[in-house]
Amino acid sequence: MLATVVLMGIASFAIGCLPTYDQVGLLAPALLVVLRIVQGFSAGAESAGASTLTVEHSPVGRRGFFTSFVMVGYAVGCSLATVVFLPVALLPVEQLHSWGWRVHFWLSAVVVITYYVRSHPDETPVFAEAKEESAVRRLPLNDVFKYHWRDVIRVAGASLMAAMQALFAVFSLSYATSVGVDRSAMLAIISGPIALSIVGIPAAGYLSDVIGRKRTMLIASVGCALTIFGYLWAISTTADRDFRVPQYDPVLQRL
């Protein structure tokens, strides 16, 4: 848990310090990809580790509800990130592209506070008991792939639904601005549902305790698959039909 927060903090801060393409050429996007991969590993390990820690501390019969607060933290973080970026998005295009986009990455330096907090909590009773009985595996990852590889495949498949979050909050912003929707307006549109999910996620967690995890995930998967098309269609019909390729974007100009 300490490693995940340190990796995320270092990678995020480093992205804000990256050199530009004009300065180092192809090394700039290559470094960005590497740092984004580090962020991805950190976020994935964070979600799994925090969820496991919470599950092992949760009472039987209410694990879905208690563990849902792990993702509530994610929703709060996304909402705060959007709010922080809104003033930056109002900057002139030249300033936004030169230094403005770096600001929220530099703010990740506050991760040192999280490191202090995480260095103090106790291990879960389940882990403490296993440690007392000398049942803690030296190579747990090897045991996972050796004895539980089917579960790994099932979890990986179920986790594909997480792509909906990227479509909703990341791709849609890029798509909307590319077809003429105001960036600040789109950020506000995205932040609204994310803020509502702070209440919706615990409700879904409670529902999973009542009707089961599989049924809850199936309802969510089908719902996301159907509504994402309407969401992107709404963006396309709201866009300015007289959209022009921005002069400041040489890549789009070449296309």
Side-chain angles (χ1 to χ4, degrees), residues 197-210:
S197 69
I198 296 173
V199 177
I201 291 173
Y206 176 79
L207 183 65
S208 73
D209 288 330
V210 176

Side-chain angles (χ1 to χ4, degrees), residues 3-160:
T4 59
V5 72
V6 170
L7 284 175
M8 181 61 77
I10 292 175
S12 299
F13 187 82
I15 288 176
C17 301
L18 281 176
T20 64
Y21 180 84
D22 292 335
Q23 292 172 330
V24 296
L26 291 175
L27 181 61
L31 288 173
L32 176 60
V33 170
V34 171
L35 291 173
R36 289 292 290 168
I37 291 174
V38 172
Q39 283 185 320
F41 278 116
S42 174
E46 167 72 16
S47 177
S51 297
T52 301
L53 189 71
T54 307
V55 165
E56 293 182 358
H57 274 294
S58 302
V60 177
R62 302 195 65 190
R63 289 174 175 170
F65 176 71
F66 277 83
T67 308
S68 68
F69 286 94
V70 173
M71 299 311 297
V72 168
Y74 154 80
V76 171
C78 285
S79 298
L80 290 176
T82 303
V83 171
V84 170
F85 189 71
L86 278 173
V88 177
L90 297 175
L91 289 171
V93 173
E94 295 77 10
Q95 295 182 28
L96 175 63
H97 285 198
S98 61
W99 61 268
W101 66 270
R102 300 176 184 269
V103 172
H104 55 294
F105 288 104
W106 290 334
L107 292 176
S108 61
V110 299
V111 74
V112 293
I113 300 174
T114 308
Y115 182 87
Y116 173 78
V117 173
R118 289 204 173 176
S119 61
H120 288 74
D122 298 327
E123 293 288 357
T124 64
V126 175
F127 181 83
E129 182 180 349
K131 192 173 182 179
E132 289 179 0
E133 297 175 357
S134 299
V136 177
R137 300 288 186 176
R138 294 184 60 186
L139 296 173
L141 187 62
N142 180 61
D143 290 342
V144 168
F145 285 105
K146 184 176 181 180
Y147 301 110
H148 306 285
W149 60 271
R150 292 182 180 86
D151 293 327
V152 172
I153 294 175
R154 280 194 287 265
V155 170
S159 299
L160 290 176

Side-chain angles (χ1 to χ4, degrees), residues 75 78-90 168-170 172-174 176-177 181-197 231 235:
C78 285
S79 298
L80 290 176
T82 303
V83 171
V84 170
F85 189 71
L86 278 173
V88 177
L90 297 175
F168 173 77
V170 181
S172 67
L173 177 60
S174 176
T177 54
V181 178
D182 180 71
R183 182 186 291 107
S184 299
M186 194 62 202
L187 283 171
I189 291 171
I190 292 172
S191 63
I194 292 177
L196 289 175
S197 69
Y231 174 60
I235 293 174

